[in-house]
Amino acid sequence: MRFTLISFIASVIISLYATPSLFAGAPVIPAPQSAEMTNRPFDKKNLDRVKYVKAKALPAEAYELQIKSNKIIIKSSDEAGRFYAHQTLIQLAEADALYRGVIKDAPRYEWRGFMLDEARHFFGKEQVKKILDLMARYKLNKFHWHLSDDQGWRVEIKAYPELCSVGGIGCHSNPDAPARFYTQDEIREIIAYAAERHIEVIPEIDMPGHATAFTKAFPELGAGHRTVNPANDSLYAVLETIIKELADLFPGRYIHIGGDEVSTQGWRELPGMKDFMENNGIDSYDDIQKCFERRISDIVAAAGKVSIAWDDVIDSGLDKDKTVIHWWRADHPESLKKALENGYKTIISPWDPFYLDYVQDIKCKEGHLVWKQWVNGLDEIYDYKLSDDQLVMGFQANLWTERVISDERLAYMVFPRLIAIAERAWTSQGNLDYDDFLKRLENEYRYLDSIHLYYYDFRDFNHHPEPLK
Ligand code: ACM
């Protein structure tokens, strides 16, 4: 008995004073830059004993998290770094992995984004806020909001109420559905909600193609084939007013001007087009869009914003200091090459593998298949070869919603693939390890269950049966 007591006391003394074991790594997504943890637990009841230290030398969004015996020290140069340190702490606490140690962390890319298309189907602000919450948890920082397309115009413009009252009618699955759109007050509410989570909101108004909702409200400015009429001078006055309102409404740096998949068909027979081409020194129909893009990009710049445009506009001669190229055409690698060679800052979201409307499993019945037998699975996303070019701002996943109607399907298509995107965009190359990611993802499956999210379960196809709408 006496011997047992003595050995117990000795083991307590040893555990208190012996050098603790050190563990590299922490069960957090995205994986941090470095984590040196001990086997000495930190008492959760001290979680609110946090001291903040301003560390000017740390880069934007970076943080150092010291978990001491009875307090926590967070160093960062900005609020975002502080916020991300807390996201890490939350995940550690949930995983019962709060040990004393030091985590040093910083993002690999400044652009870590997600695009939601609410033109094809409208989900509403509660769904958007849910997505923003999850983006923040995984340290994503750009919410690209596709607010206009053929099927609907979704942002209130005070100068032109008909954009929403007429252009907002319908959606992909029902052209007669009552108008759905965000009022400016609702937009401000969402922007503020995002800002509290260190997420910038970028609106997209897609032109000169994908513009049917706009031309429903302004038939005189349309040219058929889902396009506006670039030869009509009144178009630019209307677009200038819209862009000015958007610039006032959205405090971020960027406005996305679209520019993808434009047909020149409707432009060929337009009265006034001959003169427009002559006046602008153009002799090919393909050059009409280039002219339009330069004019819109100037309007955006005059409103104090930087344009982002899909890489279809790569030959439009846009000013590289006022334009970011958004590369999506995985089948046009030369377009990405050209963007970088011509000095454009570039966002990477090729449809293979970063489009989340493409299915994640060959067994899925609904959704795009990449070619016939190829899917945008978790491993494809995780293994995507990254560019280290200084002009690459970062990565983004896009969800087009022609085939996404319900909230369940929205969650099913986005999670957990967006979590893999987040790790790719944040974690440095040397710390990427797919098997380890899958282990850490187990904690996130538990978390997603706890908030009742209808995610796609890569471990068990039947966990959440595929919602077909
Ligand atoms: C796109 O997917 N059309 C940008």
Side-chain angles (χ1 to χ4, degrees), residues 210 260-261 310 328 355 400:
H210 289 271
D260 57 322
E261 301 178 309
W310 298 110
W328 71 280
Y355 272 25
W400 303 104

Side-chain angles (χ1 to χ4, degrees), residues 115 120 204 206 210 260-261 310 312 326 328-329 351 355 398 400:
M115 186 212 80
R120 272 54 178 270
E204 179 186 353
D206 202 352
H210 289 271
D260 57 322
E261 301 178 309
W310 298 110
D312 311 49
H326 193 165
W328 71 280
R329 296 182 301 169
W351 48 261
Y355 272 25
N398 297 335
W400 303 104

Side-chain angles (χ1 to χ4, degrees), residues 208-210 222-231 259-270 273 276-277 282-293 312:
H210 289 271
H225 297 267
R226 305 155 65 201
T227 59
V228 293
N229 176 357
D260 57 322
E261 301 178 309
V262 179
S263 163
T264 61
Q265 207 59 36
W267 294 345
R268 296 171 187 238
E269 307 298 329
L270 283 176
M273 186 51 84
F276 176 83
M277 290 175 76
I282 296 171
D283 52 18
S284 111
Y285 291 112
D286 285 337
D287 286 343
I288 298 170
Q289 184 184 350
K290 295 177 192 160
C291 224
F292 171 86
E293 300 298 354
D312 311 49

Side-chain angles (χ1 to χ4, degrees), residues 9-10 80 94 140 247 297 322 333 396 456:
I9 293 168
E94 284 170 1
L140 291 162
S297 166
K322 297 183 196 153
Q396 184 174 305
Y456 176 89

Side-chain angles (χ1 to χ4, degrees), residues 138-202:
Y138 303 112
K139 304 183 175 89
L140 291 162
N141 65 353
K142 306 286 178 198
F143 178 60
H144 166 185
W145 213 355
H146 188 75
L147 287 169
S148 83
D149 212 298
D150 298 316
Q151 294 85 344
W153 182 281
R154 308 295 184 207
V155 49
E156 179 189 23
I157 300 295
K158 300 266 189 209
Y160 306 119
E162 61 272 44
L163 278 170
C164 287
S165 63
V166 178
I169 294 174
C171 61
H172 187 79
S173 53
N174 176 7
D176 301 319
R180 300 292 307 274
F181 59 92
Y182 291 101
T183 64
Q184 292 202 355
D185 280 344
E186 286 170 326
I187 297 259
R188 273 188 281 271
E189 180 184 329
I190 287 168
I191 290 170
Y193 193 88
E196 282 164 18
R197 287 155 184 75
H198 295 273
I199 296 170
E200 180 179 343
V201 182
I202 298 105

